[in-house]
Amino acid sequence: MPIRIWDEARLGTSAYEMTRTGNLLVPTVSYFPDMWSTKPPLMIWAQALSIRFWGVTEFAIRAPAALSAVLTALIIFIFVSKLTSNKWSGFVSAMVLCTAPGYLFYHGVRNGEYDGPLALFTTCAFCALFVFTEKSEEDGGIWIFIIFLSLTLSTLTKGVAGLLFTPAFFIYLILRNRITRFIISPYFIYGLLFFAFFVGGYYWLREIYNPGYIKAVFENELGGRFTNAIEGHSGPWNHYWLYLKREGFGVWYWLIPTTLLTIWVFPSRKLFRAAGYSILVSLLFLIILSNSKTKIIWYSIPVFPILSVLAGLLFHQVSQIAAKMIKTDQNIIIIAALFITSIQPVKEAYAHIKWENDDLNKDNFYAVSYYFREAAYGDKNLEDYIFLTGGYDIQWRLYVYRLNELGCNISCINYADKPVLTPGQKVVASLEANDYIKHNYSFRVIEDFYGVRNYVITGPKK
């Protein structure tokens, strides 16, 4: 599908412009500092590097998020496999994660947005903290630094959202009586300094080169979104819980109450702690999100890997008990149970990915994107055209940039600026700009593509 409006288009545009200006500190949109999206630019850096390799394509914009999803699934697989000493249990967790609709679909990890990389780094911190609490005093230090490294990367990806797991981390350290050992470790000091240097250093430098940035961060991330419903994104207090039940976790939702009911009979104390820790982190994270006035469903993406850990632990414990009862190999039970339960979610995920598209007959909003993409593939000649657009048009700007990169001389003008078009001028008009042409000029229509019109201007309208 073409680049989607809002976050994906803005991030991709900022990444492309970064490759042109070389300014790594201040992301821009239309080559002006972006003060609407005030997140640090780690994701934009990754996309800019991707564009350097693959050009201005959908693949380049989405590759960092997709790679993050692959790595997250791998980390969850390894984490659960080590916990249970059973790779099939780890595979269950990875399978559940990769077929959860809220993780995979629109605004999920297949789009070039913040939340896929954010989930990767928060998952790393989640796993590292649990491993630390299970280690002896001599072996746990390096895991503290890994926690801070992960939190540094998550914060550089999406600002304060990268720290929303930390209240649960703090509580779990207290419950496990590890808080003192955590704080007095020299690795704690090293990690804290590392975090302060890179995160604090970025915000400090950005404020120097982009005055007013810190104020915008406070208004947008720390105050605005928590105290007000930004852009109409409101909902009831149980907004995220309902989303997980109805859509986000799909048919896997039954795993959550089942795990809560069965955790108390887990024979392994280590697995009991892992399940309890996962529940604590998931619950507190969703409570924090629920207390924000702004409620957006893809903010919940970091919780999906944690819920997937619960799935692997549940399958492991149930299959272990069942294997003892019927005296058979545990792996046979896991494989059979996974096969039966995953048929529907795998089928739904496959069907969604295979048939995901825009029906332009019903909704032609992205018709411009499809039109320009055909031009980028060489199916249309737009040399020396003017693209007349209007309103919020960032989702199409990347395609204009791509055509210019390919040597096609096409300029982008907003019809609200009332441009003067001369006879013989070739124009592609977006849906909003057609009326401007109709009311002000005589013309000949060369092509009509789902409402996107290709004109030759013959003169001013009499």
Side-chain angles (χ1 to χ4, degrees), residues 21 82 94 96 124 166 207 236 258 291 298 314 365 373 400 453:
T21 64
K82 294 289 186 181
V96 169
C124 287
T166 53
E207 177 65 24
T258 305
N291 277 281
W298 54 92
L314 175 65
F365 179 78
R373 188 163 67 179
V400 175
R453 290 185 175 178

Side-chain angles (χ1 to χ4, degrees), residues 32 39 117 122 127 130 273 341 386 392 402:
F32 289 97
K39 312 295 189 297
T122 54
C127 295
F130 182 80
R273 291 193 296 272
T341 56
I386 287 176
Y392 189 82
R402 175 166 173 74

Side-chain angles (χ1 to χ4, degrees), residues 340-414:
I340 293 170
T341 56
S342 66
I343 290 175
Q344 185 63 25
V346 169
K347 181 180 177 181
E348 289 179 1
Y350 173 79
H352 180 90
I353 292 169
K354 182 176 181 180
W355 301 110
E356 182 182 39
N357 58 49
D358 295 298
D359 187 344
L360 298 180
N361 287 306
K362 295 180 179 178
D363 183 358
N364 60 359
F365 179 78
Y366 283 104
V368 172
S369 299
Y370 283 95
Y371 191 80
F372 280 154
R373 188 163 67 179
E374 288 188 15
Y377 289 151
D379 296 332
K380 298 181 186 299
N381 181 9
L382 299 181
E383 180 67 28
D384 294 325
Y385 269 74
I386 287 176
F387 172 43
L388 204 60
T389 183
Y392 189 82
D393 63 356
I394 198 165
Q395 66 276 12
W396 305 319
R397 196 168 305 163
L398 276 168
Y399 292 98
V400 175
Y401 286 157
R402 175 166 173 74
L403 287 169
N404 289 331
E405 285 279 309
L406 294 171
C408 179
N409 181 28
I410 180 171
S411 55
C412 184
I413 302 176
N414 195 306

Side-chain angles (χ1 to χ4, degrees), residues 10 21 59 93 111 135 140 182 208 258 283 285 304 348 369 403 409 417:
R10 292 188 74 88
T21 64
F59 178 83
S93 289
N111 287 99
K135 292 287 186 179
F182 184 82
I208 291 175
T258 305
L283 184 64
F285 175 74
F304 285 93
E348 289 179 1
S369 299
L403 287 169
N409 181 28
D417 296 332

